[in-house]
Amino acid sequence: MASTVRLQAPIGQRALLITTLAVPLTGWTVHAVSLHRKLSAARRDPLTGLLGRDGYTARARQITDRYGDSALVVLVDLDHFKQINDGPGGHAAGDRVLAATAQRLTAWAGSRGAVGRLGGDEFAVAVRIGPARRELRLAQLTQLLAQPVEVEDGVLVDVAASVGAASPDVLGTRDLSLLQRAADAAMYAGKHTGRAVLAGPQHATVPSINGRRAGRPGTNFLGRAA
């Protein structure tokens, strides 16, 4: 009888211990999920809902590493955005243009692409597009971004964007920083031309500071139109 009691006691204690531990573990799991969601939201730009710089960089690196020569990194800069932001519609019009641009980039990139707002009116995209389709897809992008944006009460604002792109097979590297630097230089080369420019080796050698073309104005500002 005594031996039976001794045998059952450890089993009961273990069961009690497991049950006791399960409660805080469950609580920590819920807390971890909640924290993960908050961190994910914090990595997104509050105005456009796009990935912020850090979130975009992490996702873009996954795309370039996974798809290699079929990956494409694109930088987009809105033309004459300051005129829109300082115009009659003010910051509200600027915000609407930024939000519309974000929606267009997201639609163009598709669900598997990465779209981020790097700051101000500057955006970045990493997507899988094979060499045979790049020219067509980039032309579609410039046309899409050039569509007027309705800001309020049916008022349309003309918009345009400069687009530069870079691919691992042309530049011989999957390094995201180098690809973005070349795409940035290509974008500047095609500024105000209405066409996207695919970076070549010459764009990868343009002097840069912190991975950006030397002398290029930039901002880390996220949120409302700067």
Side-chain angles (χ1 to χ4, degrees), residues 25 38 40 44 70 93 119 121 138 184 202 226:
L25 283 175
K38 290 179 180 179
S40 296
R44 292 193 173 271
S70 293
D121 59 323
L138 287 172
D184 184 63
Q202 71 276 18

Side-chain angles (χ1 to χ4, degrees), residues 13-224:
Q13 289 171 2
R14 286 197 297 272
L16 179 61
L17 178 61
I18 293 172
T19 303
T20 304
L21 288 174
V23 174
L25 283 175
T26 303
W28 275 111
T29 301
V30 173
H31 174 72
V33 171
S34 176
L35 181 60
H36 175 73
R37 289 175 178 172
K38 290 179 180 179
L39 289 174
S40 296
R43 287 195 293 267
R44 292 193 173 271
D45 171 52
L47 172 62
T48 63
L50 297 180
L51 294 168
R53 186 181 295 271
D54 292 342
Y56 162 77
T57 299
R59 179 71 183 114
R61 281 178 176 153
Q62 291 177 351
I63 291 174
T64 55
D65 288 344
R66 180 175 182 179
Y67 297 117
D69 290 349
S70 293
L72 189 69
V73 174
V74 182
L75 287 190
V76 174
D77 204 29
L78 295 180
D79 295 339
H80 310 298
F81 179 70
K82 190 175 186 301
Q83 295 179 14
I84 298 174
N85 215 31
D86 295 342
H91 284 253
D95 286 352
R96 185 67 189 92
V97 169
L98 292 174
T101 300
Q103 292 171 359
R104 293 169 178 180
L105 289 172
T106 300
W108 181 81
S111 59
R112 296 185 179 182
V115 185
R117 182 183 176 201
L118 302 185
D121 59 323
E122 182 183 357
F123 301 86
V125 182
V127 66
R128 181 186 183 185
I129 298 178
R133 300 178 60 235
R134 284 177 192 151
E135 184 176 349
L136 174 62
R137 295 283 280 123
L138 287 172
Q140 291 173 340
L141 177 60
T142 56
Q143 293 175 4
L144 183 63
L145 294 176
Q147 298 299 314
V149 174
E150 181 178 342
V151 291
E152 61 177 345
D153 299 329
V155 176
L156 295 177
V157 172
D158 290 330
V159 295
S162 296
V163 179
S167 58
D169 61 321
V170 174
L171 299 180
T173 180
R174 296 186 184 185
D175 186 279
L176 182 63
S177 297
L178 295 178
L179 291 170
Q180 289 191 164
R181 182 175 68 187
D184 184 63
M187 178 182 68
Y188 180 73
K191 196 74 174 170
H192 306 307
T193 65
R195 63 183 181 86
V197 177
L198 181 63
Q202 71 276 18
H203 296 107
T205 59
V206 172
S208 65
I209 299 175
N210 295 327
R212 309 307 306 280
R213 176 178 51 78
R216 188 184 197 283
T219 175
N220 289 327
F221 181 80
L222 296 177
R224 295 183 59 82

